[in-house]
Amino acid sequence: DLLGLWGDFEDTGKSTESDLISRKKTLPILYALEHNPSFKKRWMQPDTITALEAAEISSDLKQDGTYEYTFELVRTLTDKALHSLEKTRISNEGINALLELAKKLTRRNH
């Protein structure tokens, strides 16, 4: 969800405006609906969100704490998942691949 709004197209292959334009209710959107009255007011309007407006909204959400909240939750949940995998003390190609993937994803530029 974080990469859906603030990721790099080169990395994700997905436009960062598409979640807003399609009004996809991702974690950052739900957080902003609860914590940002001006975003909620705009979101509830029936007219289409344009690509230009989506870029502005994304920037605003990054500045109002939505990005920080989402990033910290990603980090916390990833750390818990990694800790759980490591606690199994099982070492095989599948688990090692999951560990490396999770570590790589949390090091990405957002």
Side-chain angles (χ1 to χ4, degrees):
D1 289 352
L2 182 134
L3 294 175
L5 286 180
W6 300 292
D8 183 348
F9 178 79
E10 300 275 329
D11 291 334
T12 65
K14 179 183 170 200
S15 160
T16 54
E17 292 89 16
S18 65
D19 284 356
L20 288 166
I21 291 170
S22 67
R23 295 179 180 269
K24 187 175 180 183
K25 291 185 180 168
T26 62
L27 174 68
I29 299 302
L30 294 174
Y31 178 86
L33 285 169
E34 188 173 325
H35 294 90
N36 183 328
S38 63
F39 172 77
K40 183 176 183 176
K41 181 179 177 183
R42 174 57 187 105
W43 186 263
M44 301 309 256
Q45 293 176 2
D47 52 320
T48 303
I49 296 174
T50 66
L52 179 60
E53 187 178 18
E56 292 171 5
I57 291 170
S58 177
S59 178
D60 291 345
L61 293 179
K62 194 165 189 175
Q63 292 176 17
D64 80 356
T66 299
Y67 173 87
E68 184 177 329
Y69 168 81
T70 305
F71 183 77
E72 287 306 316
L73 187 57
V74 166
R75 184 187 319 235
T76 298
L77 294 176
T78 300
D79 287 348
K80 285 181 180 183
L82 290 173
H83 181 69
S84 294
L85 275 175
E86 291 168 349
K87 267 183 20 179
T88 66
R89 301 203 188 274
I90 297 172
S91 181
N92 65 41
E93 285 184 35
I95 288 181
N96 291 339
L98 281 173
L99 290 169
E100 287 306 310
L101 176 62
K103 289 175 184 175
K104 179 182 176 186
L105 289 173
T106 56
R107 287 191 304 261
R108 281 179 135 169
N109 290 332
H110 307 289

